Amino acid sequence: MGATAHSAIERSAIKKVSVRLVPFVALMFFVNYLDRTAVSFAEPNGMGQDLALTAAQFGFASGVFFIGYIILEVPSNMALHKFGARRWLARIMVSWGVVALLFTWVQNSEQLYTLRFLLGVAEAGFFPGAILFLSQWVPSRHRTKVLGLFYLAQPLTTVIGAPLAGWFINQHGLFGLEGWRVMFLGVSVPAILLGVIAWFYLIDKPADAKWLTAEEKTWLTNELAAENAGKTGADEKSAHGKEALKAAFTNSRVWILALIYFGFIYGLYALAFFLPTIINGFQEQFGTTFSVMDKALITAIPYLPAAIVLYFWSRHATRHGVHTWHIAGPAVVGGVSIPLALYMGSPAATVAVITVTACAIFAALPVFWSVPSQFLTGAAAAAGIALINTAGNVAGFAAGYVTGWLKDFSGAYYLPLFLVGAFMLMSAALMLWLANRSKDHGAHHGRPLAEVR
């Protein structure tokens, strides 16, 4: 078969995967992220007052989710590798939807802590499982593009989800519930429905996809098999449980990437959990008055430009190859900009600087996730990606709790947001160090991590 025919099959196969799988998995991610961050919309719109929460208590409730997630993160991804993405992702969605539904009737801080912990247990493994699933469908040269399209769901969750949450909160009195309880009810049901649909819609591997032609199946299967040869986890011995875990947990690059991811996610969740509260404080700080829907729309503002930047940044990385500055550059911009937000003299200026921070974080994340699959495959990839994401979940817990505690301690958000900036600068420094270390060890173009140069 000629090169032109191969090229046509490649384009057709990648297009079908991008159309058939990526939007659905992105929709799952959209609902997932909305459910886990819904508490940030509820707190300044009645939940904090009704449950008598301090900033530290709310921060702990935000962060305790990640304890349950962390405990089961690696085992869940290993189960996904064993049982298949279709079954496991569907199971995760239904179970987290049921737990999310129970938030509708929470009565005190203790119940809130318990449900947030259980939500983490139920959701454990979804995000790394989705990353692993999509990575197993496309060769590495297309992976940044596919993961970028998938990752668009996260900033769009706030662009669409914040006004949606505001609309639900305005339905105060529906079914005799406070507005914030109506919101929890409204955002939990879609997770259950999507979980049921996922059981029948998702497909575990290209060879089983009826919507691919025989040529497309063969091309994808052969490309992925050739690419995975020689990676950590490719040999038969490391394809099994304990050996796969050992291969991932003893790989120094996995741990460095985990620390880099920690810095990004610390910034992401500090914004996600406390931005609505910071915006709520504009009324006292600047003497402005905003309705519930006004505050929801302001919360959404930083995330629409972030989605646009994410798309074009990922597209550039796909066309020109992933370079160190695709990840380290945004980390520097985010680390410098986020503390500056609190020194702005108006709501508009504050939101503008926060928008720069959001753009920086979301630009880097899908590019970052193209890196682990450059040197991991099979069960080792499942374990390694889960381990890296576990570091992000540690950051999610720390960002919520530490930000709230430092705000209570200092009386303002200056100190906690300077800490956010420091962690993001740490990510930039580690990314540069990892690239130099790779060069020192003789990495060359076209080999694992050599694309990150």
Side-chain angles (χ1 to χ4, degrees):
M1 188 179 294
T4 303
H6 271 295
S7 179
I9 291 171
E10 177 177 359
R11 287 195 302 270
S12 177
I14 297 303
K15 182 178 180 180
K16 287 182 179 180
V17 171
S18 299
V19 171
R20 296 276 187 147
L21 294 181
V22 177
F24 185 80
V25 179
L27 179 61
M28 296 168 71
F29 186 29
F30 176 95
V31 175
N32 167 266
Y33 192 68
L34 182 59
D35 281 347
R36 75 164 65 175
T37 58
V39 68
S40 68
F41 302 114
E43 194 278 337
N45 291 293
M47 186 186 75
Q49 182 177 353
D50 292 347
L51 303 186
L53 299 176
T54 65
Q57 286 177 317
F58 170 63
F60 182 76
S62 300
V64 74
F65 161 91
F66 295 98
I67 295 178
Y69 203 116
I70 289 165
I71 292 172
L72 294 177
E73 178 86 323
V74 174
S76 180
N77 228 33
M78 296 299 288
L80 181 143
H81 178 74
K82 180 178 180 180
F83 297 113
R86 178 181 65 85
R87 296 174 179 176
W88 202 249
L89 292 178
R91 192 282 306 164
I92 290 173
M93 291 206 70
V94 172
S95 59
W96 102 50
V98 171
V99 175
L101 184 64
L102 297 177
F103 281 80
T104 307
W105 300 282
V106 67
Q107 298 296 320
N108 52 52
S109 60
E110 289 78 14
Q111 291 180 8
L112 182 65
Y113 298 156
T114 301
L115 286 177
R116 287 288 295 175
F117 174 80
L118 292 177
L119 187 67
V121 169
E123 285 194 28
F126 172 78
F127 178 78
I131 293 289
L132 178 64
F133 172 66
L134 293 175
S135 297
Q136 292 173 338
W137 273 85
V138 293
S140 61
R141 61 184 176 275
H142 297 286
R143 207 162 285 151
T144 301
K145 176 185 175 181
V146 166
L147 293 180
L149 292 173
F150 163 72
Y151 233 109
L152 279 173
Q154 194 165 29
L156 290 179
T157 299
T158 306
V159 173
I160 301 170
L164 179 64
W167 183 84
F168 277 125
I169 290 169
N170 277 335
Q171 308 311 303
H172 183 83
L174 184 66
F175 306 125
L177 300 171
E178 292 89 346
W180 61 270
R181 296 183 187 274
V182 176
M183 182 204 64
F184 279 123
L185 177 64
V187 301
S188 60
V189 173
I192 300 172
L193 297 177
L194 277 173
V196 174
I197 295 171
W199 182 272
F200 301 98
Y201 186 82
L202 292 182
I203 300 168
D204 287 321
K205 54 187 178 180
D208 297 332
K210 295 180 180 179
W211 38 267
L212 290 173
T213 66
E215 292 81 4
E216 290 164 347
K217 291 179 184 179
T218 300
W219 179 83
L220 276 173
T221 300
N222 291 342
E223 282 287 313
L224 291 167
E227 186 176 275
N228 289 335
K231 291 182 181 178
T232 301
D235 59 287
E236 183 177 351
K237 183 179 180 181
S238 63
H240 302 286
K242 291 182 180 179
E243 291 298 326
L245 287 173
K246 182 180 178 181
F249 276 66
T250 58
N251 192 306
S252 61
R253 288 175 292 185
V254 170
W255 288 101
I256 296 168
L257 289 171
L259 288 173
I260 293 168
Y261 191 57
F262 179 95
F264 278 113
I265 299 304
Y266 192 98
L268 175 66
Y269 280 109
L271 282 182
F273 289 134
F274 286 93
L275 181 57
T277 302
I278 292 171
I279 290 171
N280 194 54
F282 285 167
Q283 298 182 177
E284 179 180 348
Q285 185 179 359
F286 300 113
T288 55
T289 301
F290 299 117
S291 68
V292 170
M293 186 56 72
D294 289 336
K295 288 183 282 188
L297 291 171
I298 294 170
T299 300
I301 288 173
Y303 293 91
L304 181 56
I308 296 171
V309 170
L310 181 158
Y311 174 77
F312 284 104
W313 198 257
S314 299
R315 187 176 178 180
H316 185 277
T318 299
R319 288 183 173 182
H320 301 284
V322 177
H323 291 68
T324 304
W325 54 264
H326 278 118
I327 301 170
V332 172
V333 172
V336 172
S337 62
I338 193 166
L340 294 179
L342 295 176
Y343 292 93
M344 298 297 103
S346 69
T350 302
V351 172
V353 176
I354 289 173
T355 299
V356 172
T357 304
C359 288
I361 293 172
F362 283 108
L365 288 176
V367 183
F368 171 87
W369 277 115
S370 70
V371 176
S373 56
Q374 291 183 21
F375 61 93
L376 296 172
T377 190
I385 290 172
L387 176 59
I388 293 168
N389 197 55
T390 296
N393 289 309
V394 172
F397 170 75
Y401 181 68
V402 173
T403 300
W405 184 84
L406 286 176
K407 196 274 180 181
D408 282 345
F409 173 77
S410 64
Y413 282 102
Y414 293 97
L415 184 58
L417 290 192
F418 268 105
L419 183 61
V420 172
F423 277 125
M424 292 194 67
L425 291 174
M426 174 198 75
S427 294
L430 285 173
M431 192 66 230
L432 292 169
W433 181 79
L434 179 61
N436 288 330
R437 178 175 178 265
S438 180
K439 291 178 182 178
D440 291 342
H441 286 186
H444 57 280
H445 299 332
R447 296 302 300 164
L449 276 188
E451 290 186 36
V452 184
R453 54 188 184 269

